[in-house]
Amino acid sequence: MSLYKILSVATLGTALIGLSMGKAAAVTFSNDLLFQNVASYTTTIADNNDLADIYYPNPSNLKTSNYSFPVVLLLQGSNIDKSFYSNYASLVARYGFVVVVPNHIRILPQGNVEGFLPEPCQINAVLSQMQAENANPETPVSGVVNTLELGLLGHSAGGYAGLAGIANACLPFFCESDYSRPQELKAGAFFGSFLRNLSTQEFVPINNSRIPVALLHGTLDSINTIDNAKLTYEQIQEPPKLFVTIDGANHYGITNINDPSRSGFEKNVPTIAQDVAIETIARWSGLFLRASILGDKDALNYVYFTGDIQDENVTVTKQLKSVSEAPLTLGLMAISTWSVLLRWKRWLQSWHDR
């Protein structure tokens, strides 16, 4: 663990505010998955004829208890079939979400051929479909979907489309159909993505209207570089926002296997095991969505304050409140002090055990 990570916790500054004045965050938080069983089925999105896999928590009392799971749309990377996101989508679903993963076929800009390429209009199409799935007593998720709360996930081009959707922006190659950001859209977490006007190459201001946004990125991503991701993070106009780097992950840390599109564009071999990368990205995505959509205070504590202390594979930059809204409080000071002491304790223990 680097000295930079130790010191950064103590110097979060006035950009953050604690959950409560004068109280430190909980010292421990169980980030265990909420649901052990997940089921899935395939349906057709009526508005665009996309085939979509739907992953949902499947406890034994699914239809006899009072469950209400928000919708989460996972937008695929360019030319990556939906099936290669099954491990990631299943893990996110276990945090209490209905995760929809469509195959969206379009004419690709490269070579003028058909392939998988996401666009923002899918957001409204999937929301409409899940309203129908929830109302239909014949579907596996009837009556358990919260269609008033929608989150986004995305990989590579899917993150590009998701960021554009949150910004309510019409950009070249990603704006073939009419789109207007729905009021149900509450948060988005994207891996291996950036947002730049592909005609002018200028990074686009992301007017997110206080919709929380998380960018997750592998340190070995050679396709969408981490520098481009950082520049995109800076363009997110309003907090809350989060930037999580996963040590040793390349561009395909989120998919079941490395380079499922067989493009050969990724030059770096990951140094983190694929299953560890997927679990890490899913955990940070799922807890970020729980904090942002469901107001889960424990999840918020984890993603903004204590998670990077517990997770050796990540480095986190975050902004929970604007500077004007977040004076340095005793609560934040306590969190920072506790974080530094815990890190030093771990370092001393590891040194002692040598």
Side-chain angles (χ1 to χ4, degrees):
M1 184 178 296
S2 68
L3 180 62
Y4 171 79
K5 285 188 73 175
I6 295 174
L7 294 178
S8 65
V9 179
T11 56
L12 291 175
T14 58
L16 301 175
I17 187 169
L19 290 179
S20 60
M21 299 298 180
K23 293 184 178 180
V27 172
T28 59
F29 164 55
S30 174
N31 51 40
D32 293 339
L33 298 163
L34 275 71
F35 296 91
Q36 293 306 308
N37 295 317
V38 168
S40 65
Y41 69 101
T42 301
T43 192
T44 300
I45 308 299
D47 287 357
N48 54 23
N49 290 319
D50 288 350
L51 282 180
D53 296 332
I54 299 177
Y55 301 82
Y56 60 96
N58 192 32
S60 58
N61 61 345
L62 178 65
K63 293 302 181 71
T64 59
S65 191
N66 190 29
Y67 290 109
S68 183
F69 303 121
V71 179
V72 173
L73 165 61
L74 170 52
L75 295 159
Q76 68 200 130
S78 177
N79 258 352
I80 300 178
D81 187 87
K82 57 185 172 59
S83 63
F84 289 107
Y85 296 101
S86 62
N87 293 344
Y88 172 72
S90 295
L91 285 171
V92 174
R94 289 170 69 178
Y95 284 100
F97 299 102
V98 175
V99 182
V100 184
V101 193
N103 268 346
H104 190 62
I105 299 176
R106 293 174 57 199
I107 301 298
L108 301 180
Q110 312 92 338
N112 198 35
V113 296
E114 276 193 348
F116 300 131
L117 188 66
E119 57 182 324
C121 67
Q122 291 178 256
I123 298 171
N124 288 313
V126 165
L127 180 60
S128 177
Q129 183 65 38
M130 293 315 298
Q131 291 167 345
E133 299 285 315
N134 189 54
N136 182 354
E138 301 300 319
T139 70
V141 295
S142 65
V144 299
V145 185
N146 177 3
T147 58
L148 299 178
E149 310 282 356
L150 171 66
L152 295 180
L153 301 170
H155 172 220
S156 192
Y160 188 107
L163 286 166
I166 286 177
N168 216 21
C170 182
L171 298 172
F173 308 113
F174 283 86
C175 192
E176 292 186 354
S177 303
D178 291 338
Y179 167 77
S180 179
R181 183 178 64 204
Q183 64 181 6
E184 290 87 351
L185 181 53
K186 306 299 183 184
F190 310 106
F191 178 76
S193 305
F194 67 94
L195 190 63
R196 188 169 60 191
N197 187 314
L198 298 182
S199 293
T200 66
Q201 298 304 311
E202 295 178 347
F203 285 87
V204 178
I206 302 172
N207 298 312
N208 55 316
S209 301
R210 301 191 70 84
I211 294 174
V213 177
L215 298 182
L216 301 94
H217 219 84
T219 58
L220 295 181
D221 191 332
S222 68
I223 295 179
N224 292 336
T225 68
I226 201 165
D227 288 338
N228 283 340
K230 289 177 179 177
L231 289 170
T232 296
Y233 177 78
E234 292 171 2
Q235 293 295 326
I236 300 171
Q237 301 295 290
E238 298 182 74
K241 60 181 182 178
L242 192 73
F243 189 85
V244 182
T245 59
I246 296 89
D247 295 339
N250 70 3
H251 189 65
Y252 298 105
I254 195 173
T255 51
N256 293 358
I257 61 173
N258 185 41
D259 195 9
S261 66
R262 300 180 181 178
S263 68
F265 293 145
E266 175 56 88
K267 304 304 181 185
N268 292 331
V269 176
T271 58
I272 187 173
Q274 197 74 12
D275 60 340
V276 175
I278 293 170
E279 189 281 326
T280 301
I281 299 164
R283 172 166 28 91
W284 282 89
S285 301
L287 292 176
F288 178 80
L289 293 180
R290 286 196 63 85
S292 303
I293 297 175
L294 298 174
D296 185 325
K297 291 183 178 181
D298 287 335
L300 188 148
N301 255 349
Y302 184 86
V303 296
Y304 288 106
F305 297 114
T306 66
D308 62 336
I309 303 165
Q310 301 178 43
D311 190 340
E312 295 287 338
N313 293 319
V314 306
T315 301
V316 178
T317 301
K318 57 262 189 171
Q319 185 177 355
L320 182 54
K321 297 288 185 180
S322 65
V323 172
S324 62
E325 293 176 304
L328 187 61
T329 66
L330 292 176
L332 180 55
M333 292 171 66
I335 292 168
S336 299
T337 302
W338 169 80
S339 301
V340 173
L341 290 175
L342 179 58
R343 287 183 182 233
W344 276 112
K345 178 181 177 182
R346 288 183 175 178
W347 181 85
L348 290 171
Q349 184 64 46
S350 65
W351 181 85
H352 180 267
D353 291 340
R354 291 177 181 176

